[in-house]
């Protein structure tokens, strides 16, 4: 009987965390639609804390954060956020979207891709 109670409590706690995580993500999207990037940042921060064990949500959280940074004209920060998504989650749908956002920033003149670093021998 004790085992069943412990199992039920564990399952309930896990479910509550997921519900709370979804709640914060939904609030972040709602705030983004309203143009309130400060609230988006707060909701995404709270969602991120809840999603540490759910790595698959990080690219979605990061993409929304990048879009808010763009909206606030912080184009360098947005570009770095998109590059993070592409580097960390290259096969995800969000990496595809991040590449598209980077191309748009380049076309608008807000971002220029950095040339690859060149290795050269040290002078003697």
């Amino acid at each position: 009987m004790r085992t069943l109670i412990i199992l039920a409590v564990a399952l309930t706690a896990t479910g509550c965390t997921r519900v709370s995580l979804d709640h914060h993500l939904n609030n972040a999207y709602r705030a983004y639609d309203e143009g309130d990037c400060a609230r988006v940042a707060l909701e995404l921060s709270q969602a991120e804390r809840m999603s540490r064990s759910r790595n698959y949500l990080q690219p979605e959280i990061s993409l929304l954060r990048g879009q808010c940074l763009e909206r606030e004209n912080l184009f360098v920060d947005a570009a770095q956020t998109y590059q993070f998504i592409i580097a960390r989650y290259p096969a995800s749908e969000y990496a595809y979207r991040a590449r598209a956002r980077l191309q748009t920033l380049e076309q608008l003149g807000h971002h220029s891709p950095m040339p690859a670093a060149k290795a050269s021998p040290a002078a003697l």
Side-chain angles (χ1 to χ4, degrees):
M1 185 64 163
R2 181 180 288 171
T3 305
L4 287 175
I5 292 172
I6 292 171
L7 185 60
V9 169
L11 289 173
T12 303
T14 303
C16 290
T17 302
R18 179 61 196 202
V19 169
S20 181
L21 173 61
D22 288 342
H23 173 74
H24 289 300
L25 275 175
N26 290 337
N27 284 344
Y29 279 110
R30 221 173 274 116
Y32 182 78
D33 287 341
E34 295 168 4
D36 186 358
C37 282
R39 199 169 107 222
V40 171
L42 174 66
E43 293 292 343
L44 289 178
S45 176
Q46 291 172 337
E48 225 166 12
R49 276 188 243 123
M50 302 257 173
S51 73
R52 291 203 173 127
S53 64
R54 295 174 179 90
N55 230 7
Y56 60 90
L57 290 171
Q58 184 60 50
E60 180 180 5
I61 291 170
S62 294
L63 185 72
L64 187 55
R65 179 173 284 125
Q67 290 172 323
C68 242
L69 289 168
E70 265 188 77
R71 189 174 273 181
E72 293 180 324
N73 297 326
L74 299 170
F75 301 114
V76 173
D77 294 331
Q80 288 178 344
T81 302
Y82 298 144
Q83 289 167 343
F84 165 79
I85 296 168
I86 293 166
R88 189 88 185 262
Y89 307 95
S92 74
E93 164 194 354
Y94 299 101
Y96 175 81
R97 291 181 182 187
R99 282 186 202 93
R101 292 305 317 146
L102 280 174
Q103 288 175 349
T104 302
L105 287 175
E106 288 172 26
Q107 291 171 355
L108 294 173
H110 297 302
H111 172 68
S112 57
M114 297 293 289
K118 257 177 130 176
S120 59
L124 295 176

